């Protein structure tokens, strides 16, 4: 029989946990531990920030690769910014990725500049509802050539 099961079946051998003795903690000990903890936290945050900066550059790198691939194959590359709530659109327009896209020699169509989508059209604050998606697709079908010129 496995030892874990044997121990489980032997209730009479159960012993309560041993209580540990309290220790005296002085101010110096607390300060030393605080400094150590702060340095560990700062170290982790520094690493996370460095990692975050590298991750933020990944979309730009791949966007540049896609644009270069399109240029090599004589394909006109256009970025279409999908419907967003007004507050999210304002944040996006001031973001680093938008500034990078705007600095490139490509066409940008921001749907939000042409059509107004009310906040209740978005089921989670960012993604449009299914019924609104049909409405949006019809708008694109009817107007995409006018927007693209």
């Amino acid at each position: 029989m496995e030892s874990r099961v044997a121990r489980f079946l032997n209730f009479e051998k159960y012993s309560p946990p041993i209580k540990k003795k309290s220790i005296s903690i002085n101010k110096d000990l607390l300060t030393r531990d605080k400094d150590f903890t702060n340095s560990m936290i700062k170290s982790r945050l520094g690493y996370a920030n460095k990692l975050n900066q590298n991750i933020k550059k990944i979309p730009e790198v791949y966007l540049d690769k896609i644009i270069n691939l399109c240029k090599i194959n004589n394909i006109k590359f256009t970025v279409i910014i999908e419907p967003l709530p007004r507050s999210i659109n304002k944040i996006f327009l001031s973001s680093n990725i938008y500034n990078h896209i705007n600095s490139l020699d490509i066409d940008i169509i921001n749907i939000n500049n042409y059509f107004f989508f009310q906040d209740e059209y978005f089921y989670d604050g960012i993604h449009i509802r299914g019924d609104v998606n049909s409405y949006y697709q019809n708008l694109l079908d009817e107007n995409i050539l006018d927007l693209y010129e």
Side-chain angles (χ1 to χ4, degrees):
M1 187 180 312
E2 204 176 343
S3 63
R4 289 180 288 171
V5 174
R7 278 185 285 178
F8 179 72
L9 295 176
N10 289 331
F11 294 111
E12 66 276 356
K13 292 185 179 179
Y14 172 77
S15 61
I18 300 170
K19 293 185 178 179
K20 295 186 178 184
K21 295 181 181 179
S22 61
I23 58 171
S24 174
I25 298 177
N26 61 30
K27 187 177 178 181
D28 294 335
L29 184 62
L30 289 174
T31 306
R32 180 185 57 121
D33 287 346
K34 181 181 172 187
D35 291 343
F36 174 75
T37 304
N38 285 344
S39 67
M40 289 299 292
I41 291 171
K42 286 179 185 176
S43 170
R44 297 283 175 130
L45 286 175
Y47 176 73
N49 285 335
K50 181 179 177 185
L51 190 62
N52 194 20
Q53 292 302 320
N54 290 338
I55 290 173
K56 285 181 182 178
K57 293 179 184 177
I58 290 174
E60 295 175 6
V61 169
Y62 280 97
L63 182 62
D64 293 343
K65 288 182 179 188
I66 293 168
I67 291 169
N68 287 336
L69 184 63
C70 288
K71 284 181 182 178
I72 290 169
N73 293 300
N74 293 323
I75 298 171
K76 186 173 183 177
F77 185 80
T78 302
V79 172
I80 297 179
I81 299 170
E82 297 291 312
L84 294 169
R86 285 187 176 199
S87 58
I88 303 295
N89 189 43
K90 286 179 186 176
I91 292 169
F92 177 71
L93 294 177
S94 63
S95 69
N96 290 338
I97 190 68
Y98 180 77
N99 291 335
H100 179 73
I101 292 170
N102 211 20
S103 70
L104 301 172
D105 186 26
I106 58 174
D107 291 335
I108 302 172
I109 299 174
N110 187 346
I111 297 298
N112 301 287
N113 293 340
Y114 300 97
F115 304 108
F116 174 70
F117 289 84
Q118 298 176 16
D119 289 345
E120 58 267 10
Y121 287 179
F122 302 88
Y123 68 88
D124 63 353
I126 296 177
H127 300 96
I128 56 177
R129 296 188 331 241
D131 57 336
V132 179
N133 188 31
S134 299
Y135 167 70
Y136 169 60
Q137 292 302 321
N138 289 335
L139 281 175
L140 277 184
D141 290 344
E142 294 169 7
N143 300 296
I144 192 66
L145 294 177
D146 295 335
L147 294 175
Y148 199 65
E149 294 179 330

